[in-house]
Amino acid sequence: MTIAILGGGISGLVVAWQLQKAGVAYDLFEAETTPGGCLRSVSHPDGYLVETGPNSLQLSDELLELITELGLVDEIQDAAAVSKNRYVLRNGRYQQLPSTPPALLTNGFFSWKAKFNILRELRRPAAPLNPTETVDAFFRRRFGPEIVDYAVNPFISGIYAGDPAQLLIHKTFSKVAALEQQYGSVLRGLAKTGGGAGRRRIISLQGGIQKLTDTLAAKLTHHHVRQRVLALHRTTKGGYQVQTSAGSNGGFSYDAVVLALPTFAAAPLLAPLFPEAAAALAAVHYPPMAAVYTAYRREDVGHPLDGFGALHPKVEQPYAAGSIWTSSIFPNRVPDGQVLFTTFVGGAQYEANAQQSETAQKAAVHEELSRFYDIKAAQPLWQYRYLWDKAIPQYDQRIMAAHTTTDALQAQGIWSAANWRGGVGVPDCIRHARHVADQLTGK
């Protein structure tokens, strides 16, 4: 068996690595010179190290195993202890969000009415399974509006660049939805399964997250960069030929193809052979998102910055979805005596802001940071903007057809491994990529 993998992001790289370890022949085609997809670590000569994709990683078992296999354990950089604190904008100022279910009742962040709704969740019966129920509807039904407005909404906006009124609960938080069905209560389910016991270890790597994909790519024996896939052709024997910008690969035939591409890149390749699947993939929504990096002298910032960052609920009518306090999490990413904010502009709830000019975004971010963080400086010491025209795939109604049609394509030798398929986080991508590789190798 020989397999073609299209796309060299973390998903494609992990599929290739698993196949290589299993002794299965493969070719991985990557359009760019640098592997890793959205995992990008950029070092600036002024002493700033920024991540244009994920800013940190949750250390899952699968991720730790991969890091160990690549010999990168000594390169792990743990987030600073203060990163366990998360803040949310409420009534124009940042307040610490409760980090555990018990803290929801003892912390002063939520009103007594909201706390009563949390307690009532234990006694609310499970509703019949609804595959089209949104995240907003699910949490509003079980916990009430305040939890949605000041916990769910900012989390969804900041982490998923999404709108909880559009994202589907069984696609975005399938485990949470399953707790209701199994235990009759989300909180009861968390208590019985240990799901509320705490967060995973938050890490990066020395020199940035891109070291993970750079190291992985360097160990692959059949990794072809600067070879954009232009077309797929079906052979008379049921296999596939891959036409790339470097040629047709000598007419070589593959037994299976793994789509490790965004849906908007995979859809044109499928259109001549599987038009229904192509249409479903083309419909998946990727809202734009800009990351604006802003540095100040520490003495010019009044806020203690004692946490991971702060998220902005839509109800507060902010400009940005929130900011990560990069210098608090990884202090060696900025020059001494400075602080660095990574601010996210855009996403499904703020698309118009993401489409503004770079100059307008930088100015608006500085104004909002100055207002919320008591910043005295008239201008930042340094600013940088990175724009994703198509950021994170949205697990809304449109993703359902994409999943259904690509499931059916497996019978035709077409598999999918990407962040639109098994979850948007890096640990999700690694887990799903390993699962696809196991299926291809018969494990």
Side-chain angles (χ1 to χ4, degrees):
M1 172 181 280
T2 306
I3 297 167
I5 305 166
L6 315 186
I10 185 64
S11 296
L13 293 172
V14 170
V15 171
W17 177 241
Q18 296 298 117
L19 295 179
Q20 185 169 300
K21 291 192 298 177
V24 175
Y26 71 90
D27 282 303
L28 189 156
F29 300 101
E30 166 58 43
E32 304 295 331
T33 306
T34 305
C38 64
L39 273 67
R40 288 283 185 272
S41 306
V42 181
S43 294
H44 290 265
D46 296 328
Y48 304 97
L49 174 64
V50 302
E51 304 284 1
T52 63
N55 281 260
S56 59
L57 303 173
Q58 288 191 339
L59 191 61
S60 66
D61 293 341
E62 293 89 352
L63 175 56
L64 179 57
E65 184 176 332
L66 178 61
I67 288 174
T68 303
E69 290 175 346
L70 298 178
L72 293 175
V73 171
D74 291 340
E75 300 294 316
I76 291 176
Q77 181 180 11
D78 281 288
V82 296
S83 64
K84 68 180 184 296
N85 301 326
R86 311 294 172 101
Y87 288 79
V88 169
L89 183 68
R90 182 156 192 175
N91 298 325
R93 67 182 184 89
Y94 292 127
Q95 301 182 44
Q96 188 172 343
L97 188 68
S99 58
T100 63
L104 292 171
L105 300 177
T106 58
N107 188 285
F109 184 87
F110 291 111
S111 68
W112 284 109
K113 183 177 181 180
K115 292 176 181 179
F116 179 66
N117 274 330
I118 292 169
L119 286 173
R120 288 182 61 192
E121 196 277 337
L122 291 164
R123 301 179 63 87
R124 286 195 175 99
L129 184 64
N130 177 7
T132 64
E133 186 172 31
T134 66
V135 172
D136 182 291
F138 178 88
F139 281 97
R140 195 173 297 274
R141 173 170 60 80
R142 295 216 61 88
F143 293 98
E146 190 176 332
I147 299 296
V148 172
D149 288 343
Y150 283 98
V152 176
N153 180 282
F155 178 81
I156 291 293
S157 178
I159 306 302
Y160 294 90
D163 181 350
Q166 300 297 323
L167 300 187
L168 303 178
I169 185 68
H170 84 285
K171 289 290 186 181
T172 310
F173 300 119
S174 58
K175 292 181 180 179
V176 173
L179 290 176
E180 179 192 26
Q181 296 301 312
Q182 184 173 355
Y183 297 99
S185 159
V186 174
L187 293 180
R188 188 179 300 113
L190 288 172
K192 289 184 178 293
T193 61
R199 297 186 179 98
R200 286 174 175 167
R201 184 178 168 190
I202 303 298
I203 68 158
S204 183
L205 297 174
Q206 298 293 339
I209 293 173
Q210 187 179 326
K211 183 175 287 187
L212 174 67
T213 47
D214 283 351
T215 305
L216 179 52
K219 290 183 177 293
L220 298 178
T221 56
H222 290 75
H223 178 215
H224 312 287
V225 298
R226 281 193 268 186
Q227 292 201 28
R228 182 179 300 277
V229 177
L230 303 177
L232 286 177
H233 304 288
R234 199 75 185 263
T235 68
T236 56
K237 295 183 178 180
Y240 295 91
Q241 291 180 344
V242 177
Q243 180 184 346
T244 76
S245 53
S248 60
N249 203 24
F252 190 85
S253 179
Y254 296 94
D255 300 289
V257 173
V258 177
L259 300 173
L261 298 166
T263 59
F264 53 83
L269 302 177
L270 292 179
L273 300 174
F274 307 104
E276 181 181 350
L281 293 187
V284 174
H285 182 44
Y286 289 72
M289 173 73 79
V292 179
Y293 310 86
T294 311
Y296 300 95
R297 292 188 304 170
R298 183 64 187 93
E299 62 196 55
D300 288 336
V301 180
H303 195 283
L305 302 179
D306 54 341
F308 189 89
L311 295 173
H312 296 167
K314 181 71 171 178
V315 70
E316 293 281 326
Q317 298 183 326
Y319 176 79
S323 297
I324 291 175
W325 303 340
T326 303
S327 53
S328 296
I329 307 167
F330 302 116
N332 63 342
R333 303 288 174 93
V334 297
D336 291 340
Q338 296 185 25
V339 296
L340 179 65
F341 297 88
T342 300
T343 303
F344 300 100
V345 178
Q349 298 187 78
Y350 308 94
E351 291 199 35
N353 294 348
Q355 294 162 352
Q356 292 178 349
S357 70
E358 179 176 350
T359 300
Q361 288 174 350
K362 286 180 175 179
V365 166
H366 168 63
E367 188 280 326
E368 191 163 82
L369 291 174
S370 299
R371 181 156 37 97
F372 293 145
Y373 292 93
D374 187 23
I375 294 174
K376 302 177 181 63
Q379 295 295 329
L381 289 173
W382 179 82
Q383 263 190 318
Y384 172 72
R385 196 269 316 243
Y386 192 92
L387 175 65
W388 293 96
D389 290 318
K390 296 179 181 293
I392 299 174
Q394 299 298 292
Y395 281 49
D396 55 21
Q397 287 272 12
R398 290 166 282 198
I399 206 75
M400 295 178 69
H403 287 178
T404 300
T405 56
T406 50
D407 281 346
L409 287 184
Q410 293 175 15
Q412 303 295 326
I414 301 285
W415 299 74
S416 302
N419 64 353
W420 57 269
R421 198 61 191 86
V424 300
V426 171
D428 298 323
C429 291
I430 293 172
R431 182 177 60 253
H432 182 69
R434 287 175 49 147
H435 174 67
V436 170
D438 286 346
Q439 290 182 297
L440 288 167
T441 56
K443 287 187 178 181

